Amino acid sequence: MGLSRSGDVVGIADDALTFALEASRESHPDEYMGLLRGEPAREFDVDHDGLLVTDVLIIPGTESNPVSATVKTSMVPNDFSSVGSIHSHPNGVLEPSQADLATFGKGQVHIIVGHPYGRDDWVALDREGKRRSLPVYDVELDDPEDFFDFTQADIDAELGIDGDEP
């Protein structure tokens, strides 16, 4: 186990990787592109100081075709938990192109997913496009559907309203 700084990306959640593989498969034959969000690994009982990739952000207005994907930078959220990018190569090549390298300046980790989008059809890269280790962790992530799981009583309590008032 190597030492890492608290802001280093130490791995990716299995659910985030599975989502990216499925999204890449659904986008085929066009490229898929998204941004990676990380959270403190210790929040998921991962024995590392650093960040765990937990989410793949889909950016509205992303345009893609079989050889490229372009994110509208004006639509990228101002999100301090963004740690890199992910995109697919429908041709299956897991090496970054010159265009890929030009986009790797921001973020610590960049993932390329290749056709046929199986569990072993991806690589993690650093800013310079060199392969890096990115272990996959089977951790329990919050269910995004839970965000919508609330009642009127929950809303009233949040607003400080007594539910018995007329």
Side-chain angles (χ1 to χ4, degrees), residues 2-132:
L3 297 175
S4 66
R5 294 186 311 265
S6 62
D8 288 343
V9 176
V10 298
I12 184 170
D14 184 70
D15 287 350
L17 178 61
T18 298
F19 174 85
L21 293 169
E22 290 173 2
S24 297
R25 194 175 302 115
E26 288 178 18
S27 296
H28 190 83
D30 292 337
E31 281 195 10
Y32 166 79
M33 185 164 206
L35 298 180
L36 303 173
R37 178 183 288 163
E39 296 182 49
R42 295 220 185 257
E43 290 182 13
F44 301 95
D45 294 327
V46 173
D47 189 24
H48 286 289
D49 287 329
L51 300 172
L52 181 70
V53 174
T54 56
D55 296 291
V56 177
L57 304 176
I58 300 168
I59 308 304
T62 298
E63 297 177 1
S64 65
N65 60 52
V67 295
S68 70
T70 305
V71 170
K72 292 187 185 252
T73 55
S74 63
M75 299 299 287
V76 174
N78 188 11
D79 187 347
F80 293 110
S81 61
S82 180
V83 296
S85 67
I86 186 162
H87 75 282
S88 67
H89 281 179
N91 62 7
V93 175
L94 295 177
E95 296 299 322
S97 67
Q98 288 301 314
D100 293 339
L101 293 172
T103 67
F104 285 0
K106 293 182 179 178
Q108 295 180 39
V109 63
H110 303 277
I111 297 174
I112 296 177
V113 178
H115 183 270
Y117 316 111
R119 292 297 296 181
D120 296 323
D121 299 321
W122 66 281
V123 295
L125 307 158
D126 64 15
R127 287 184 183 136
E128 287 79 38
K130 295 184 179 90
R131 290 188 184 206
R132 58 158 287 177

